[in-house]
Amino acid sequence: MKKEFRELLSEKGRKDMPNVLLVSAECAPLSKTGGLADVVGTLPKSLAGLSVDARVITPYHRVIKQKYADKVEHMFHFYVDLGWRHEYAGIEKLELDGVTIYLVDSERYFGDKIYRGGYDELEQYCFFCRAVLDAIPNLGFTPEVLHCNDWHTAMIPMLARTQYHGAMQENLRFLLTIHNIAFQGKCGFDVPGDLLGIHSDYYTSEFMELYGCADFLKAGCVFAHKINTVSPSYAWEIRTPYFSEGLDGILNARAADLSGIINGIDKKVFNPRNDPLLPAKFDRGHLKGKAVCKAKLQSDLGLEVRDDVPLVAMVTRMTEQKGFDLVACCLDELMSHEDMQFVLLGSGDERFENFMRAAEYRYKGRLAAYIGYNEELAHLVYAGSDFFLMPSRFEPCGLSQMIAMRYGSLPIVRETGGLRDTVAPYNKYTGEGNGFSFANYDAWEMRDTVKTALACWRDKEVMRGLINNAMLADFGFELSAQEYAKLYICML
Ligand code: ADP
């Protein structure tokens, strides 16, 4: 065990690392709609290397059942009281890559979509929160820290501390990680009242009320012992009204308990040296394979196969969060004035999808828009592109820019949240930096930054230096895991 951890533990009068149970709506590779799943899937593996017994509890979604049914072991079942409802909950156990995952089974709530939307989603996850707390005493594993993630699990600290007694109240510590503050689980007070029996004493701004609504994430911020988010910059951004979606009051009040820990990526999955999804491998010192990937990407997507043109790419959800309105504003100008190619892989808002389909038609052979989700193509885009555009309005952490850097594609980002914490802008006087960035959410600032990047592309020496810096950066999960381990110890 590291000396640092031994010292922290001895301050708490103990020798061993804490037991942790991560609670999450999704967990990669079992179920995934976004970065949350990656974090919950990867963190326990890295924590195991630090002697932390970290396990996961997550819904037994249909997608998991379809793939893993013959690998899970039934542990026990019970009935969850949810207002007048009396619902079956099974606890299944799965061992995956050395991590123990408990799956909460309910055909009623997890028989179809991971997120049903609207009221149905609130009911799904009220059930999950209650089932987790009721299951813990029988798991045969005693967590000391319950690590909740986002609004779907944010009611757990409040429920445990106001409705349960004994060990649940006295010994358990609650950490709430905010992956995206834009989603808060807002509803009328009748919902937590009916589904979870929350007493009307708690319907005030001290507890879970926000602008006249019940707010699950706020309840989590009030009752969790510690709160963290997924980058240091986002941790202070969400204390300001622009980013906080109304939660700056409570987050400023809890500032002493709020911190930011940057996520990492799975360096085994994203490794250009031996990525099975690439037509050629490469690394920092040997970039020939990257040129092969670029040619393959161009030919697969119907672009002119040229090595004398810079290729800018995006792999993204197509929403305003990701800066798509900026792209829509100045893509035509860039495509008309610059000798460049553009590749988009993504899906999302219909208006942005249609904009990109039309752009593909206008710039045939120079611009390709693949509307949809395609893991394999994503790897080729990272490997085959020269620049990776990510002009987010806000970005709690962002994994794509880190993956891009690992594949030698230089990020062009807006300085916000995790993008600010991971991308160092190119300094033409010192040669330092691993990408390009701009400060304001402004289409012309983005356009000018893209132009600067394209100009650098013509200078092979500068590009070599920047690619080297980008590929050298360590974005593995080990560093995040160490920060989480310290935070868990501090909570004991
Ligand atoms: P967010 O979680 O906000 O969508 P992140 O940058 O944290 O953004 O993570 C996005 C992840 O999803 C990355 O691994 C990215 O490669 C992947 N991804 C996003 N869109 C697509 C797509 N259309 N096809 C394949 N992978 C995608």
Side-chain angles (χ1 to χ4, degrees):
M1 191 189 297
K2 284 181 80 160
K3 189 166 162 238
E4 194 183 2
F5 293 141
R6 269 204 306 274
E7 283 170 3
L8 282 172
L9 284 167
S10 78
E11 279 172 28
K12 301 279 174 184
R14 52 185 284 165
K15 289 204 173 82
D16 48 342
M17 297 292 264
N19 288 347
V20 179
L21 185 62
L22 287 111
V23 195
S24 171
E26 48 185 290
C27 171
L30 306 178
S31 53
K32 175 175 168 178
T33 68
L36 163 66
D38 289 321
V39 178
V40 175
T42 318
L43 184 57
K45 285 188 249 171
S46 306
L47 285 168
L50 304 172
S51 316
V52 178
D53 188 349
R55 305 186 182 190
V56 178
I57 187 161
T58 188
Y60 194 13
H61 295 295
R62 177 169 290 173
V63 281
I64 308 178
K65 230 171 243 182
Q66 283 165 346
K67 230 172 139 185
Y68 293 89
D70 56 337
K71 298 195 178 66
V72 306
E73 170 202 332
H74 179 73
M75 289 180 73
F76 57 92
H77 70 270
F78 54 99
Y79 283 82
V80 171
D81 287 319
L82 214 57
W84 51 266
R85 305 155 197 82
H86 192 63
E87 295 290 347
Y88 170 92
I91 299 295
E92 319 289 314
K93 189 171 163 182
L94 175 67
E95 300 285 341
L96 201 69
D97 294 336
V99 177
T100 303
I101 301 173
Y102 302 104
L103 299 160
V104 177
D105 185 22
S106 163
E107 272 299 311
R108 164 99 175 77
Y109 291 114
F110 304 123
D112 50 6
K113 294 181 189 155
I114 296 179
Y115 303 112
R116 287 180 179 167
Y119 172 83
D120 290 346
E121 190 169 321
L122 288 158
E123 189 175 323
Q124 264 183 307
Y125 285 95
C126 283
F127 167 83
F128 180 59
C129 290
R130 180 67 79 195
V132 168
L133 287 172
D134 290 351
I136 285 174
N138 299 314
L139 289 180
F141 168 71
T142 310
E144 295 164 283
V145 176
L146 210 61
H147 182 166
C148 304
N149 293 277
D150 277 348
W151 77 261
H152 297 96
T153 57
M155 285 303 286
I156 288 180
M158 180 177 189
L159 289 176
R161 296 179 74 182
T162 60
Q163 296 184 356
Y164 288 71
H165 301 283
M168 198 78 88
Q169 278 248 1
E170 284 152 28
N171 304 332
L172 253 186
R173 292 284 173 270
F174 299 95
L175 170 66
L176 173 67
T177 300
I178 300 174
H179 296 261
N180 190 338
I181 207 164
F183 305 106
Q184 298 184 358
K186 280 195 166 77
C187 50
F189 289 108
D190 50 329
V191 177
D194 171 36
L195 293 171
L196 296 171
I198 303 289
H199 194 275
S200 58
D201 284 356
Y202 294 108
Y203 301 168
T204 67
S205 61
E206 261 178 291
F207 297 110
M208 68 176 308
E209 185 267 346
L210 191 71
Y211 298 122
C213 296
D215 189 303
F216 284 19
L217 194 63
K218 177 165 179 185
C221 292
V222 171
F223 284 92
H225 296 92
K226 294 271 182 200
I227 307 160
N228 86 304
T229 180
V230 287
S231 68
S233 284
Y234 196 58
W236 67 256
E237 283 174 350
I238 57 173
R239 291 174 55 193
T240 64
Y242 180 84
F243 291 97
S244 75
E245 305 280 340
L247 288 178
D248 46 306
I250 178 65
L251 290 172
N252 278 311
R254 300 286 324 265
D257 295 312
L258 172 66
S259 59
I261 299 177
I262 198 95
N263 288 336
I265 54 173
D266 192 328
K267 289 199 287 192
K268 283 196 196 122
V269 175
F270 298 107
N271 186 357
R273 236 183 272 175
N274 55 22
D275 188 334
L277 300 175
L278 298 184
K281 323 291 176 222
F282 57 95
D283 66 21
R284 223 159 33 89
H286 309 88
L287 289 171
K288 272 198 188 129
K290 188 166 169 68
V292 176
C293 293
K294 182 171 175 176
K296 174 92 166 75
L297 176 65
Q298 289 168 324
S299 76
D300 280 5
L301 294 182
L303 300 175
E304 293 162 24
V305 180
R306 287 172 56 189
D307 60 3
D308 63 339
V309 63
L311 195 157
V312 180
M314 293 180 82
V315 178
T316 184
R317 289 186 287 119
M318 297 170 79
T319 63
E320 268 190 48
Q321 180 204 329
K322 298 293 179 183
F324 237 87
D325 42 355
L326 301 191
V327 177
C329 190
C330 62
L331 186 66
D332 275 311
E333 190 187 326
L334 281 168
M335 292 305 294
S336 325
H337 291 105
E338 300 289 331
D339 185 18
M340 63 180 272
Q341 292 184 340
F342 192 92
V343 165
L344 166 103
L345 165 59
S347 62
D349 290 1
E350 212 177 322
R351 63 192 163 123
F352 296 135
E353 291 186 359
N354 288 339
F355 171 82
M356 288 309 302
R357 285 189 186 103
E360 182 178 52
Y361 181 76
R362 280 199 299 284
Y363 303 106
K364 264 240 148 350
R366 294 180 56 218
L367 186 150
Y370 183 107
I371 308 295
Y373 190 93
N374 187 329
E375 195 95 34
E376 199 171 331
L377 180 58
H379 283 241
L380 187 61
V381 174
Y382 288 118
S385 56
D386 299 298
F387 299 104
F388 190 83
L389 182 60
M390 211 166 159
S392 303
R393 182 187 288 273
F394 66 95
E395 194 59 71
C397 175
L399 299 176
S400 310
Q401 82 281 11
M402 300 189 223
I403 302 171
M405 283 190 258
R406 192 147 166 79
Y407 285 84
S409 178
L410 299 176
I412 304 172
V413 304
R414 173 157 177 263
E415 291 158 15
T416 184
L419 297 175
R420 183 208 310 270
D421 295 337
T422 51
V423 178
Y426 169 53
N427 179 332
K428 68 178 175 184
Y429 301 105
T430 63
E432 286 168 327
N434 53 21
F436 300 85
S437 67
F438 58 99
N440 295 301
Y441 194 72
D442 178 292
W444 311 127
E445 264 190 48
M446 184 191 96
R447 174 203 60 188
D448 291 344
T449 312
V450 172
K451 284 185 168 187
T452 306
L454 295 176
C456 284
W457 189 83
R458 313 265 164 221
D459 188 330
K460 296 295 165 220
E461 188 107 341
V462 168
M463 280 301 281
R464 215 171 300 128
L466 286 171
I467 291 174
N468 190 51
N469 294 348
M471 294 185 80
L472 207 54
D474 182 1
F475 296 116
F477 222 96
E478 293 69 23
L479 297 174
S480 322
Q482 287 182 20
E483 293 302 309
Y484 274 105
K486 278 189 232 164
L487 187 55
Y488 296 147
I489 297 171
C490 292
M491 292 174 68
L492 294 175

